[in-house]
């Protein structure tokens, strides 16, 4: 097998949450371009004709759309029942769906906290448990979480988001410890400051935007396409001996 063959995903089925736009869309596209079929999940995903469906089919893959409200435990459980019945063998899981709600800690309402923790942590735990245990039973699988720089840092005015992403880092390691010996590699990707819907407020801030750019050695905000290579690496045989890692894709921010 050549080194390039290690990155092929022919015959694999990948489930990607939060696939409709941004980083999740780019990661789903990367896996499709490498040969995988994609189960795409998003709260507002079109039943047909979505941009991500068009990208996947243009790459030669099959696309299976699902909707799920990740802030609703009942919606997540219903989705899991449907998808595991339709796809008993999911080879790759990318837990990318997430949300962020901004308000200073002293004013941060319970409903903000609950929505962020349910979406960013609880739903990912339920999905990973149900799909991961089936991977472990089969003896193979890849699970990738989308972490954050706030897996390592505290951030400002986003206590729920920081708490959820810190927990995702630990969940990545906890699952990796249990499942690496069963052929399932669990890792995470931690994006830096990326030009997506979640960072519109920061990029529009006349104080914080230049401060952020001034610390990034690469000198620019990241773009979703910067995650294609990292996602493909962690989803493929090229990473079979990589387990419990958090791969930072941040233009050098954490090294500063």
């Amino acid at each position: 097998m050549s080194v390039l063959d290690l990155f092929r995903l022919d015959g694999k089925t990948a489930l990607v949450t939060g696939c409709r736009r941004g980083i999740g869309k780019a990661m789903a596209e990367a896996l499709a371009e490498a040969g995988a079929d994609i189960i795409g999940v998003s709260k507002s995903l079109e039943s047909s004709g979505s941009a991500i469906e068009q990208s996947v089919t243009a790459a030669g893959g099959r696309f299976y759309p699902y909707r799920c409200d990740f802030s609703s435990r009942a919606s997540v459980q219903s989705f899991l029942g449907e998808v595991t019945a339709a796809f008993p063998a999911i080879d790759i899981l990318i837990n990318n769906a997430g949300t962020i709600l901004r308000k200073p800690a002293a004013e941060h309402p319970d409903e903000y906290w609950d929505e962020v923790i349910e979406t960013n942590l609880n739903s990912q735990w339920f999905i990973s448990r149900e799909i991961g245990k089936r991977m472990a039973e089969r003896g193979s699988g890849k699970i990738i979480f989308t972490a954050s720089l706030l897996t390592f840092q505290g951030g400002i005015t986003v206590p729920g988001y920081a708490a959820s992403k810190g927990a995702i880092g630990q969940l990545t390691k906890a699952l990796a410890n249990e499942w690496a010996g069963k052929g399932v590699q669990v890792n995470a990707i931690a994006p830096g400051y990326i030009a997506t819907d979640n960072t519109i407020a920061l990029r529009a801030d006349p104080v914080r935007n230049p401060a952020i750019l001034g610390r990034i050695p690469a000198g620019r905000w990241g773009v979703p396409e910067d995650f294609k290579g990292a996602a493909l690496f962690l989803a493929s045989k090229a990473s079979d001996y990589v387990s419990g890692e958090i791969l930072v894709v941040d233009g050098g921010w954490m090294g500063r």
Side-chain angles (χ1 to χ4, degrees):
M1 178 179 292
S2 75
V3 67
L4 293 181
D5 288 336
L6 293 175
F7 293 88
R8 293 298 308 172
L9 299 177
D10 302 291
K12 302 292 186 181
T13 299
L15 191 160
V16 183
T17 71
C19 69
R20 188 171 180 268
R21 60 183 185 267
I23 293 172
K25 180 174 180 285
M27 292 195 290
E29 288 172 343
L31 271 53
E33 289 164 13
D37 293 328
I38 305 296
I39 304 165
V41 195
S42 183
K43 183 177 180 179
S44 57
L45 184 63
E46 299 88 341
S47 58
S48 65
S50 65
I52 180 57
E53 179 176 5
Q54 293 176 39
S55 294
V56 170
T57 56
R62 289 174 290 186
F63 184 79
Y64 306 96
Y66 284 82
R67 282 189 179 184
C68 180
D69 179 358
F70 297 99
S71 69
S72 165
R73 195 164 300 193
S75 180
V76 171
Q77 299 295 355
S78 175
F79 160 68
L80 279 170
E82 290 179 27
V83 78
T84 54
F87 300 92
I90 294 170
D91 304 291
I92 302 157
L93 168 62
I94 296 186
N95 283 303
N96 173 73
T99 191
I100 188 167
L101 295 171
R102 301 177 185 276
K103 197 166 281 266
E107 305 163 17
H108 209 79
D110 292 350
E111 55 266 29
Y112 274 29
W113 178 273
D114 290 344
E115 180 176 345
V116 170
I117 294 297
E118 195 67 32
T119 301
N120 293 5
L121 179 60
N122 292 346
S123 70
Q124 299 196 24
W125 156 241
F126 297 137
I127 293 169
S128 298
R129 180 184 64 195
E130 295 308 307
I131 293 176
K133 69 183 181 184
R134 290 168 171 80
M135 291 177 173
E137 289 168 359
R138 296 195 311 272
S140 67
K142 303 279 186 175
I143 298 177
I144 304 166
F145 289 94
T146 297
S148 170
L149 291 184
L150 299 197
T151 300
F152 312 100
Q153 301 174 325
I156 300 171
T157 73
V158 288
Y161 184 83
S164 70
K165 292 302 185 177
I168 284 297
Q170 293 305 103
L171 180 58
T172 297
K173 295 174 185 178
L175 296 180
N177 289 343
E178 292 197 34
W179 289 343
K182 298 179 180 180
V184 181
Q185 291 80 51
V186 185
N187 295 285
I189 298 172
Y193 286 92
I194 312 301
T196 66
D197 291 351
N198 279 352
T199 59
I200 289 173
L202 283 179
R203 286 181 284 128
D205 190 313
V207 175
R208 295 205 63 198
N209 184 34
I212 289 167
L213 281 174
R215 177 172 162 167
I216 300 173
R220 65 172 176 88
W221 286 74
V223 294
E225 289 72 22
D226 289 322
F227 294 85
K228 285 190 169 184
L232 179 55
F233 169 62
L234 292 178
S236 69
K237 285 188 64 62
S239 62
D240 277 357
Y241 201 57
V242 180
S243 184
E245 290 299 318
I246 302 172
L247 175 57
V248 180
V249 181
D250 68 348
W253 174 279
M254 289 295 292
R256 188 67 175 262

